[in-house]
Amino acid sequence: MKLAKLLSLVDSDKLKLEQHEHTLLVRLSNPPAHIWDQENLSALQRLMHALNKVDSIYAVVITGEGEKFFSAGADLKLFADGNTARAQEMASLFGRAFETLAAYRGVTIAAINGYAMGGGLECALACDIRIAEEHAELALPEASVGLLPCAGGTQRLPWLVGEGWAKRMILCGERLSAEQALKIGLVEQVVKRGEVVATALKLATQVAQQSPCSVKACKELISAAQHQPIHSVLPMEREAFLELFATVDQKEGVNAFLEKRPAVWQNK
C-alpha cells in the first residue's frame, strides 16, 4: 500500500501524520487535551491496520500536539449519563484501537510530551517504547471517577512496573512524575522539555538499521513471553529463527555485513 492511500484511509483531522524517511510521526490533535473519542480511536485502528501493509514504514512515533498534553484519556462527558450501551461501544473502540497498535509489526514509540492520563497512558502502554519529557505526568485515575482502565491498563502496566507499583497507580490513584516513571521502568528515557519528538525520531532511525522481518519476529516473541511459560516460547524462538531464512532480508543482511556495506531492506 502506498502512503498516500494510507493517509486517505485515516480520514480524521484528529490524527496528523508526517513521514520522516522510514518513520511515521502521528500527532494526536484533539485540543485542548487530545482526549480520545469515537472518531480518533477508529482512525487509529484504521491507521495501524493499514500500516502493516506499508513496507516502507518501519516505525511509528506517537505524540501529542503542543507542549502540555500527550493525551488526557477518554471524554468523560460520554459516561456522565450512565449509558451502558455507549460505555460498551467506547470500551470496544479503545480495546480494538490499542490492541491493533500493540500488534503492529514494526516498532512504536510513545513520545510523551506532557500529561498522559487514563486512556492517554494506556495508548503509551500499548507502544513498544516510551520516552517522556521532564515535565510529563502519568496516571491511571479511572477508579477516582468510579471506572477502571479498560484499554489494557490493568494488564500491561503490571508487566512493565510490577504488581506493587501497578496497584499504587490504579488502586491508590498515584500520579507519577517523569523521573519516577523512569525509576520504575514505566518509561525508558526522560528528556528536556521540547526534545521528545526529536529523540524519538532519532531512536526510530536505529530501527531502520534492523531488518523489518527480524523486528516483527522478535516483537512477537517478546509479546509471547507475557502470556506463555518460557518452555513453550523457547521452541517458537528457534522456529522463528529458521523461518527468517525464507526472507529476502536475511540474505541481504548477512551479505551486507560480510561485504562491509549498509543493508538495503525490502521488508520481505
Side-chain angles (χ1 to χ4, degrees):
M1 180 183 294
K2 299 293 185 181
L3 188 60
K5 184 178 180 181
L6 169 66
L7 299 180
S8 68
L9 289 175
V10 174
D11 191 29
S12 173
D13 293 334
K14 295 179 181 179
L15 299 182
K16 296 185 177 178
L17 311 182
E18 303 171 18
Q19 185 175 5
H20 296 257
E21 296 185 351
H22 294 291
T23 301
L24 186 69
L25 174 62
V26 181
R27 293 187 188 273
L28 307 179
S29 181
N30 190 16
H34 311 314
I35 56 176
W36 291 103
D37 56 24
Q38 294 97 325
E39 179 183 331
N40 54 14
L41 286 169
S42 296
L44 180 66
Q45 182 185 0
R46 292 194 302 272
L47 171 65
M48 301 312 301
H49 179 74
L51 274 174
N52 284 315
K53 301 175 183 177
V54 181
D55 291 340
S56 60
I57 299 296
Y58 305 157
V60 174
V61 173
I62 300 180
T63 194
E65 193 173 48
E67 299 179 353
K68 188 174 182 180
F69 287 96
F70 176 77
S71 169
D75 183 357
L76 290 181
K77 293 178 182 177
L78 295 172
F79 308 131
D81 61 0
N83 187 308
T84 55
R86 185 181 298 113
Q88 182 179 28
E89 176 195 10
M90 289 302 298
S92 180
L93 284 169
F94 267 108
R96 292 199 303 268
F98 294 168
E99 285 161 27
T100 305
L101 173 62
Y104 171 55
R105 70 179 182 178
V107 176
T108 51
I109 304 171
I112 303 171
N113 58 305
Y115 291 102
M117 302 291 167
L121 180 54
E122 287 178 299
C123 175
L125 289 171
C127 292
D128 299 310
I129 299 165
R130 285 150 296 281
I131 304 172
E133 291 188 352
E134 58 189 0
H135 64 285
E137 295 187 23
L138 303 88
L140 291 176
E142 285 86 348
S144 68
V145 294
L147 299 171
L148 61 79
C150 71
T154 65
Q155 303 304 300
R156 293 191 176 99
L157 184 62
W159 198 72
L160 283 172
V161 305
E163 180 182 350
W165 272 106
K167 286 181 175 177
R168 285 183 67 154
M169 292 184 69
I170 297 172
L171 307 185
C172 303
E174 189 154 348
R175 180 181 295 195
L176 301 186
S177 68
E179 285 298 332
Q180 288 174 302
L182 179 64
K183 288 177 182 177
I184 67 172
L186 179 51
V187 302
E188 284 72 48
Q189 186 177 359
V190 173
V191 298
K192 293 180 180 179
R193 183 186 290 265
E195 295 183 359
V196 73
V197 171
T199 303
L201 290 173
K202 183 178 179 181
L203 184 60
T205 64
Q206 296 177 221
V207 175
Q209 298 172 25
Q210 318 301 312
S211 159
C213 297
S214 298
V215 166
K216 177 178 181 292
C218 291
K219 182 172 173 175
E220 289 174 352
L221 289 164
I222 293 169
S223 296
Q226 296 184 54
H227 311 293
Q228 301 180 47
I230 190 171
H231 64 79
S232 64
V233 181
L234 287 173
M236 293 167 53
E237 187 179 61
R238 295 189 290 271
E239 291 169 11
F241 175 79
L242 293 175
E243 288 170 358
L244 288 174
F245 282 80
T247 67
V248 174
D249 282 352
Q250 181 275 325
K251 299 175 183 64
E252 167 64 11
V254 172
N255 282 286
F257 176 82
L258 295 174
E259 296 166 10
K260 296 181 172 57
R261 61 173 176 81
V264 179
W265 307 120
Q266 296 186 40
N267 207 353
K268 297 177 182 176

